[in-house]
Every structure is written in C-alpha cells, then in structure tokens.
C-alpha cells in the first residue's frame, strides 16, 4: 500500500471554516507569513498550498516514511508554476512521484485520466485515454457504481463486471488502474467495497501471471491484436516483459459461439491453454488469424488463454519508408526504424501516402500499422476525437513510378492497437498506402487531419503454427 498526498486547486474548496468543508484560515496563515494573504483567492491558495507541500517533503523523509509515494495534483495553480513547485520537489525529493489529473504536464511522471465514460463496451477504459506510452498513464475511476468520490455515509453498490473489465483492459493497454474507494470508517471500507476487494484478490490470483510483469499486447511492445474480435467477442491481450513470445488473451465479452478468432500479428503459435484450468485448447492458424475452437467453459468476467509462440515470421526487413508529406523532425523513416518511441507525422496533410521500398521485388501479403495512441478512439465530444486512419487505398509497383489501380480499398475502424490491411498476395518492390482521410472531424482542430504512425511494416506471408512453414495448409 502506497500513499499519494492529494492537493487540489479547485476553487469550490477555497472557502473558510470547517462547516464549508475546508479548514482554511486566512488570518492564521497571514499571521504565520507576517503579511496579509487571502487564501480564498487562487494566488493566496497557491501560496498556502505551496508551503504545505514543501512542509510534507521536509517532514516526511523516505527513510522514515517509505509508504509515502508522492503527490497527486488535481488541477494546476499558476502560483505553483511561477514559483517552480514541481522543480523544487524534483530537486528536494526525487524519490517522490508526481501525478497530474487530466493534464499532460511534461514534468509529471503520471497523467491521470479521471472517470471516463461513454465508450462501448463500457468497461474498455483505454478507449478514452489520450496519452501515448511509454508515459505512465493512470485510469482513475470510482469503484462504487454511483455516489461521491468521498465517503457520504452510504454503502454504494460495486459493479463487478464493469470494474474487473476496467482493470483488465487497462492492464492490456499498459495503463495503471487507480480505483478510488470511498474512505474507511473505523478501519473498514463500506461492506460492498470490502466484499469486492476480497473477491478480486482471490480472482486475480488465479490469473496473476497474465497481469504481473506484462505489457499491453498489440501496441509498442508487440503482441496479438486486441479489441473487437469475432461474433461479438471483445477483450485485450498481454505479453510478458521477460518473454516476448509468451502471450495471454483476455476475453471479457465472450463470442456467441464456442470459437474465438484473434489476429496473430505474425506470431507462430505453438500451444494454447486455459490459464485458469491448465487444459489444452484446440487451435488452428492460417490467414493471419489464430482460431480457438471447442471452448465451452467461458468465465463470467475474464476467460484467459495462455498462448505460447515461437516468435514472429514473414515480416520484411530492410524496408525504406518515405512519405508525400512529413512534419519537421518526424520523417516517414521513423515509422520503419523499429523504435516505437519515434513516429512519422504527416503534418496534417490528407490525402497523404506512406511508401515502402523493399529493395527488390518480393512477395507482399499485408501491411501492418501501429498508429500513435495519443487520442481517444471514439468521438467523446466535438473537440475530443480520434486521430486515426479511416479511408485508405493500397497500390503496388515494380518501378515506383507506375502504380496502376489500387489492389485494396477500404476503411480502418477507429480502434486502438495494431491495424492490419490484407491485400491479394503479389510480388512487387514498392507498396504505397494512400490515406484519404482520418476519423477526426474539423470541429476538433487539434486532431483534424492529424496522422501519426509509430511503426509500419510489410508482411510477406502469414505465420503458420509451429511445425509448418508459411503458406502450408494447417489442415
């Protein structure tokens, strides 16, 4: 258990007297400072809270108070920024974490995205997150299904499916869960929350290896494709940090039947088991998809499959990328350098083309794209929308000049994680993906026409199960 010290600049709390919900006392603080300071003003409160935070850093050293982990800043204050509060904390107490609520301030270690709703499925919290990894991201949400963030005297219900789903989807997106529980009373949480905590403890123990020491699959750490699968199924994938060939599929919404199909992202699958039971699961692999069959024992909240692989295959190396438009310092080459921390930025230009030069004529089967996860994946409002590819066309050429008609035309969904564009198998030296437009509307001036790609690649052939070569029938 770690403690974050909370400080808010919300003006509704800048009142005096305990009856208003605050202990603030301007006259006492003015006497302490030797001059008049009105704490009910933004600057006055900023000065007062600045002193309180510095006092905490001085009086509670790590050696004596190891449970104190840092500060959770709820809204910035101009006084803090003018007087270098965060820089002072960094200098005096580099061991403490700084977290900011709803504002991606570069000096902060963590950005907390608070109580996001409106996504479908409702538990898939990362759909409303707008900060790209590897920034440390928190999804901050209330554990009780209704009521205040603080203890109000009520024993609010806890929606198990919603909160377990949030926890798992966050884990599957490298997002930290900050579940806000209402305060304890006489050392005990309200009984509904206590019951949920006890249940979750035992429930997660059964599948802990799929959460502990893992990253979200389908993003910058590799892994199987997450999100929307077949027959209404939905979930996320995780991948072990110390073993990039060990994956887990978390099925939070089960398919209508006994079959699950997940895009393999080029991984050769060798074995699949049900993590809770250890039972082997029948599977086949072809056409870029691993198919699990005969599944009848679906868990009510999270069915977890352990997927062992022999690495990725069928992905061309040495490909040179260029584009018809790029922002300064964000060239197309960054999308093909193997580094997900660099990215191509199209400089808000559409249509725009991303071109792949394979060096010589080679077999081409599909295009893989990881877009920058720095926007929500659905339109939360007119000014908070998805900066992801929508309509596209794919061309191939042998000389890089004559392209002919597109070999594939389509639209990508506004979904997080890796996107794969299948094309009719062909042989060519050059591949061009022409992005006609993106999902953000013009009302979102920040994201309208914005396009950023972390990594993009060309697949020569689909992966086959271990023991078979690419292109060999699994039947």
């Amino acid at each position: 258990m770690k403690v974050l010290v909370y400080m808010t600049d919300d003006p509704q709390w800048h009142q005096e007297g305990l009856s208003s919900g605050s202990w603030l006392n301007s006259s006492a603080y003015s006497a302490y400072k030797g001059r008049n300071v009105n704490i009910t003003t933004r600057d006055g409160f900023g000065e007062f809270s600045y002193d309180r935070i510095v006092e905490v850093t001085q009086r509670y050293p790590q050696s004596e108070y190891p449970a104190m982990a840092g500060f959770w800043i709820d809204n910035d204050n101009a006084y803090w920024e003018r007087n270098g509060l965060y820089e002072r904390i960094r200098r005096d107490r580099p061991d403490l974490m700084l977290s900011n609520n709803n504002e991606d301030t570069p000096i902060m270690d963590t950005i907390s995205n608070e109580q996001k709703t409106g996504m479908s499925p409702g538990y898939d919290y990362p759909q409303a997150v707008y900060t790209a990894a590897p920034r440390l991201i928190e999804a901050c949400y209330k554990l009780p299904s209704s009521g205040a963030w603080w203890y109000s005297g009520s024993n609010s219900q806890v929606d198990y499916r919603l909160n377990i789903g949030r926890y798992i989807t966050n884990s599957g997106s490298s997002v930290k869960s900050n579940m806000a529980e209402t305060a304890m009373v006489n050392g005990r949480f309200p009984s509904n929350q206590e019951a949920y905590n006890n249940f979750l403890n035992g429930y997660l123990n059964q599948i802990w290896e799929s959460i502990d020491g893992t990253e979200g699959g389908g993003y910058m750490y590799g892994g199987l494709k997450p999100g929307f699968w077949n027959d209404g199924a939905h979930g996320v994938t995780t991948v072990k940090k110390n073993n990039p060939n060990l994956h887990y599929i978390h099925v939070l919404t089960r398919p209508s039947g006994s079959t699950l199909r997940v895009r393999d992202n080029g991984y050769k699958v060798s074995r699949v088991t049900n993590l809770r039971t250890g039972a082997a699961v029948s599977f086949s692999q072809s056409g870029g998809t691993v198919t699990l069959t005969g599944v009848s024992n679906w868990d009510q909240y999270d069915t977890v499959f352990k997927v062992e692989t022999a690495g990725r295959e069928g992905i061309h190396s040495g490909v040179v990328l260029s584009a018809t438009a790029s922002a300064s310092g964000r060239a197309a080459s960054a999308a093909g350098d193997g580094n997900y921390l660099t990215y191509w930025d199209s400089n808000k230009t559409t249509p725009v083309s991303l071109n792949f030069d394979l060096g010589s004529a080679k077999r081409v089967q599909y295009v893989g794209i990881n877009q920058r996860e720095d926007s929500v994946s659905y339109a939360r409002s007119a000014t908070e929308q998805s900066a992801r590819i929508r309509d596209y066309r794919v061309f191939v050429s042998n000389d890089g000049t004559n392209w002919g008609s597109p070999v594939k035309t389509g639209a990508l969904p506004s979904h997080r994680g890796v996107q794969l564009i299948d094309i009719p198998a062909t042989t060519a030296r050059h591949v061009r993906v022409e992005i006609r437009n993106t999902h953000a509307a013009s009302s979102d001036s920040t994201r309208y026409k914005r396009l950023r790609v972390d990594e993009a690649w060309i697949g020569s052939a689909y992966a086959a199960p271990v023991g078979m070569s690419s292109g060999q029938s699994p039947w």
Side-chain angles (χ1 to χ4, degrees):
M1 180 74 75
K2 297 292 184 180
V3 176
L4 292 178
V5 178
Y6 175 89
M7 182 61 75
T8 180
D9 184 49
D10 191 334
Q12 68 174 303
W13 305 116
H14 297 188
Q15 302 177 44
E16 304 227 19
L18 181 60
S19 61
S20 70
S22 174
W23 287 92
L24 300 183
N25 186 322
S26 292
S27 60
Y29 183 64
S30 297
Y32 164 74
K33 298 291 286 188
R35 54 184 172 79
N36 184 52
V37 181
N38 183 357
I39 298 180
T40 65
T41 65
R42 297 299 280 269
D43 259 22
F45 180 79
E47 183 177 359
F48 166 77
S49 53
Y50 183 105
D51 286 349
R52 299 290 70 76
I53 291 174
V54 170
E55 181 182 19
V56 168
T57 65
Q58 294 174 342
R59 290 194 177 187
Y60 298 89
Q62 184 183 34
S63 58
E64 297 180 40
Y65 299 91
M68 197 183 86
F71 296 96
W72 187 23
I73 306 298
D74 190 353
N75 301 309
D76 275 323
N77 181 286
Y79 182 92
W80 304 339
E81 295 174 333
R82 289 199 311 270
N83 290 276
L85 173 62
Y86 306 139
E87 290 80 1
R88 178 166 183 171
I89 295 172
R90 285 275 183 254
R91 182 183 68 248
D92 296 348
R93 292 293 301 274
D95 57 293
L96 297 180
M97 185 183 80
L98 286 173
S99 180
N100 188 287
N101 180 44
N102 288 326
E103 184 176 342
D104 195 356
T105 305
I107 198 172
M108 298 290 172
D109 299 296
T110 304
I111 174 171
S112 290
N113 294 263
E114 182 179 294
Q115 196 65 5
K116 302 298 185 182
T117 58
M119 64 288 292
S120 180
Y123 59 72
D124 192 4
Y125 207 97
Q127 288 189 38
V129 169
Y130 47 82
T131 308
R135 280 298 302 272
L136 185 59
I137 312 158
E138 289 178 343
C140 180
Y141 50 89
K142 294 186 296 183
L143 181 57
S145 305
S146 60
W149 286 89
W150 50 89
Y151 183 66
S152 61
S154 62
N155 186 18
S156 298
Q157 294 294 315
V158 177
D159 186 329
Y160 282 42
R161 179 169 176 75
L162 174 65
N163 284 287
I164 291 172
R166 283 172 163 174
Y167 186 87
I168 297 299
T169 54
N170 289 333
S171 296
S173 304
S174 299
V175 173
K176 307 302 181 185
S177 283
N178 187 356
M179 295 184 287
E181 305 202 27
T182 59
M184 285 184 171
V185 178
N186 296 325
R188 301 288 291 271
F189 283 115
S191 61
N192 286 331
Q193 294 177 185
E194 186 175 87
Y196 171 81
N197 293 338
N198 291 334
F199 171 82
L200 192 65
N201 180 46
Y203 185 80
L204 292 181
N205 280 342
Q206 302 169 31
I207 59 169
W208 191 239
E209 72 170 78
S210 69
I211 299 170
D212 183 48
T214 64
E215 294 285 4
Y219 302 95
M220 64 180 288
Y221 303 100
L224 309 176
K225 184 177 179 179
F228 297 86
W229 299 316
N230 63 291
D231 301 326
H234 182 274
V236 293
T237 70
T238 52
V239 55
K240 274 293 186 184
K241 293 180 182 179
N242 62 1
N243 183 0
N245 294 324
L246 181 55
H247 308 262
Y248 303 88
I249 301 173
H250 294 262
V251 185
L252 296 159
T253 299
R254 56 157 292 181
S256 57
S258 60
T259 298
L260 180 72
R261 292 187 292 273
V262 177
R263 286 301 298 257
D264 58 33
N265 200 11
Y267 289 90
K268 290 172 63 73
V269 177
S270 58
R271 187 166 183 257
V272 180
T273 54
N274 185 308
L275 185 58
R276 294 182 190 279
T277 67
V281 177
S282 297
F283 75 94
S284 60
Q285 187 177 12
S286 64
T289 297
V290 57
T291 301
L292 313 187
T293 55
V295 181
S296 58
N297 185 24
W298 298 100
D299 185 84
Q300 63 176 327
Y301 300 124
D302 181 21
T303 305
V304 186
F305 298 106
K306 182 176 181 176
V307 181
E308 299 170 58
T309 76
R312 300 176 79 193
E313 71 169 8
I315 297 172
H316 286 301
S317 60
V319 180
V320 176
L321 274 70
S322 60
T324 54
S326 299
S328 177
R330 300 294 181 186
S333 57
D337 61 3
N339 181 358
Y340 284 78
L341 302 185
T342 62
Y343 58 90
W344 166 56
D345 187 321
S346 71
N347 201 27
K348 287 194 170 184
T349 302
T350 56
V352 64
S353 293
L354 185 61
N355 303 315
F356 303 78
D357 183 350
L358 280 62
S360 61
K362 297 176 182 178
R363 190 177 191 275
V364 176
Q365 183 75 78
Y366 67 91
V367 182
I369 301 175
N370 266 109
Q371 299 173 79
R372 190 96 175 134
E373 300 291 350
D374 58 1
S375 69
V376 299
S377 61
Y378 71 106
R380 282 181 51 82
S381 69
T383 57
E384 191 175 355
Q385 305 206 349
S386 171
R388 291 174 176 81
I389 297 169
R390 192 174 70 183
D391 300 299
Y392 68 85
R393 300 192 299 183
V394 180
F395 300 82
V396 296
S397 170
N398 286 319
D399 58 11
T401 301
N402 300 297
W403 294 94
S405 301
V407 296
K408 181 69 177 291
T409 298
L412 291 178
S414 179
H415 292 165
R416 290 168 58 85
V418 60
Q419 299 295 320
L420 301 161
I421 301 174
D422 299 298
I423 64 174
T426 187
T427 299
R429 172 175 173 172
H430 300 272
V431 179
R432 168 174 289 177
V433 179
E434 180 187 69
I435 296 96
R436 305 294 297 171
N437 49 56
T438 59
H439 279 273
S442 58
S443 57
D444 185 348
S445 58
T446 299
R447 297 165 190 87
Y448 181 55
K449 293 191 175 186
R450 191 178 80 186
L451 174 60
R452 294 171 175 173
V453 175
D454 291 333
E455 287 296 306
W457 60 93
I458 301 295
S460 64
Y462 297 122
V466 172
M468 295 183 180
S469 61
S470 298
Q472 182 179 348
S473 172
W475 308 108

